[in-house]
Amino acid sequence: MNILILGSGGREYALAWKIAQSPKADQLFVAPGNAGTAILGTNLPIETTEFDSIKKAVVEHDIDLVVVGPENPLVEGIHDFFLADEYLKHIHIIGPTKAGARLEGSKDFAKQFMAKHHIPTAAYKTFDHENLEEGYAFLETLQPPYVLKADGLAAGKGVVIVNDLSEAKSELQAMIEESKFGDASANVVVEEFLDGIELSVFVITDGESYLLLPEAKDYKRIGEGDTGLNTGGMGSVSPVPFASKEFMAKIEAKIIKPTINGLKSDGIPYQGFLFFGLIKVDEEPFVIEYNCRLGDPETESIMPRINSDLVEILTATAAGTLQDQKLNIDERYAATVMLVSGGYPGQYEKEKTISGLDSVNNCIVFHAGTATDVESMEVKTYGGRVLAVTALGNNLKEALAMAYQNAEIIQFEGKTYRKDIGFDLQ
Ligand code: AMP
Ligand code: GLY
């Protein structure tokens, strides 16, 4: 079958890499893609929210299956757009409709959903222009640090955590009254701070049953020891050593099953990936956030651990027959180190020539922010997060050592990476 993946990052490259291995995949297209996806398939110069152009591409290239990588097109209703179209409604699409994507698109909706279905999460209240004063009063009842979250999508920047009460109040004011995150912060969720260790858990679901994917841990801060500014993600590992069988069973019973059943009982169809951003407090899991997609760079650690044919799983998801499927998981550890442009997540330069891509050994190099120079045909940097280097090993130490060995081989001006991925797990 012909398959179209929407997106251009490391996550989409990892999906393309895995999908391309399937005997069921004929032609593979990625829109807009990067320098790496252009080698695995054909890039199409279409942005992920240009629904009319996506329709044209689906018709022209006789696409059977569309896999949506990022959240924006889902929150904007790409699945609904497909369902409303005579031609597209017969095309399989992986990713929920607008109603399901609200789990990520509105933090207030996600909190209400969790409260309704008794899913453990931090205590919270939501405020807007009308009840800002109550927001200040609510902050006074909480212990520091204070957690404030823009209700809507804010490109991963909408969460503010501060230690000082007066700072928390002025942040709340800035978010609501000064539109600090645009319309996304017209409503703000204020919640209790949870002190624990985070992990990312993923399922793929057809709305009835689900398959648990390998769990992972990502490293979001730019600096070693989890310090400095937040980034899109500097590395990841899978599996997560503290996610024991008992703990994962608790997550399934207290979080995953109630979520899938809750979607069903609320009449929200959901066909796609669902990402649970969790935190372990003592021995209990709590939901920090839902995402209606896979994580990046978690996907780069997860895909190499899936032995099953992903196209078969995706087709069953879209067809509603996931209950007949099983996932075969590689027991080994995967470690991913992200190579980023100098200056990231602040200002950085682009179009630096990348070398060493052919000299790596025993690893997979996932392209993220790369592009091919049309004149020289060289692969160049094109984003903050440039390449994800993933290696497998019999234990975490082995996987990390191999990923770091290869991270050194690849060169581009300004190359930066965290040297301590997995530091808190060994
Ligand atoms: P996000 O930008 O939504 O990925 O979340 C930002 C980060 O804020 C999360 O990964 C957590 O590290 C942190 N965070 C969010 N909510 C809480 C909370 N209630 N307690 C502690 N940390 C939190
Ligand atoms: N790695 C976290 C995310 O994709 O949101």
Side-chain angles (χ1 to χ4, degrees), residues 11 71 104 156 200 202 217-220 231-236 275 289 291 293-299 385:
R11 168 184 48 214
E71 63 278 16
E104 176 164 4
S200 306
F202 304 89
K217 186 171 195 308
D218 77 335
Y219 294 81
K220 290 197 182 76
T231 71
M234 296 296 290
S236 61
F275 169 165
E289 61 173 357
N291 294 310
R293 53 173 171 85
L294 285 172
D296 194 348
E298 289 96 328
T299 308
R385 295 193 294 167

Side-chain angles (χ1 to χ4, degrees), residues 72-291:
N72 285 75
L74 295 167
V75 171
E76 290 184 24
I78 190 164
H79 196 139
D80 312 72
F81 175 83
F82 272 51
L83 290 176
D85 184 279
E86 272 311 306
Y87 180 88
L88 294 176
K89 72 180 179 197
H90 305 293
I91 309 298
H92 284 166
I93 177 162
I94 299 298
T97 57
K98 221 173 181 170
R102 276 187 90 199
L103 283 180
E104 176 164 4
S106 166
K107 297 218 187 272
D108 178 56
F109 172 77
K111 296 297 279 191
Q112 287 186 42
F113 177 89
M114 287 186 266
K116 181 174 178 191
H117 299 291
H118 311 290
I119 295 163
T121 187
Y124 85 106
K125 278 192 177 158
T126 303
F127 303 97
D128 62 15
H129 176 72
E130 300 298 319
N131 63 355
L132 183 57
E133 290 297 326
E134 285 171 42
Y136 298 148
F138 182 63
L139 280 167
E140 281 169 16
T141 70
L142 297 175
Q143 298 296 316
Y146 304 94
V147 183
L148 294 90
K149 301 183 170 182
D151 175 51
L153 290 186
K157 295 190 172 69
V159 177
V160 177
I161 301 180
V162 291
N163 279 310
D164 181 73
L165 180 61
S166 61
E167 204 183 327
K169 288 182 180 174
S170 54
E171 274 295 336
L172 183 62
Q173 201 256 349
M175 286 167 89
I176 292 175
E177 303 283 28
E178 290 153 34
S179 307
K180 179 166 176 181
F181 300 105
D183 290 346
S185 63
N187 292 280
V188 175
V189 169
V190 177
E191 72 179 31
E192 166 198 23
F193 181 84
L194 297 174
D195 194 7
I197 186 160
E198 288 176 57
L199 78 159
S200 306
V201 170
F202 304 89
V203 299
I204 184 158
T205 179
D206 59 4
E208 288 288 329
S209 54
Y210 68 88
L211 291 174
L212 186 63
L213 304 179
E215 79 285 354
K217 186 171 195 308
D218 77 335
Y219 294 81
K220 290 197 182 76
R221 304 293 194 94
I222 186 72
E224 268 136 45
D226 284 341
T227 54
L229 292 174
N230 245 326
T231 71
M234 296 296 290
S236 61
V237 301
S238 174
V240 178
F242 66 81
S244 62
K245 271 209 168 72
E246 296 74 37
F247 188 59
M248 290 305 291
K250 227 180 229 185
I251 291 172
E252 286 206 66
K254 295 190 173 183
I255 293 172
I256 298 176
K257 290 201 167 102
T259 300
I260 303 295
N261 291 336
L263 287 167
K264 215 160 42 174
S265 64
D266 288 352
I268 300 173
Y270 199 110
Q271 291 164 336
F273 296 102
L274 182 51
F275 169 165
F276 302 81
L278 304 180
I279 189 162
K280 175 171 172 267
V281 182
D282 300 324
E283 285 308 311
E284 290 302 315
F286 290 81
V287 177
I288 292 270
E289 61 173 357
Y290 288 113
N291 294 310

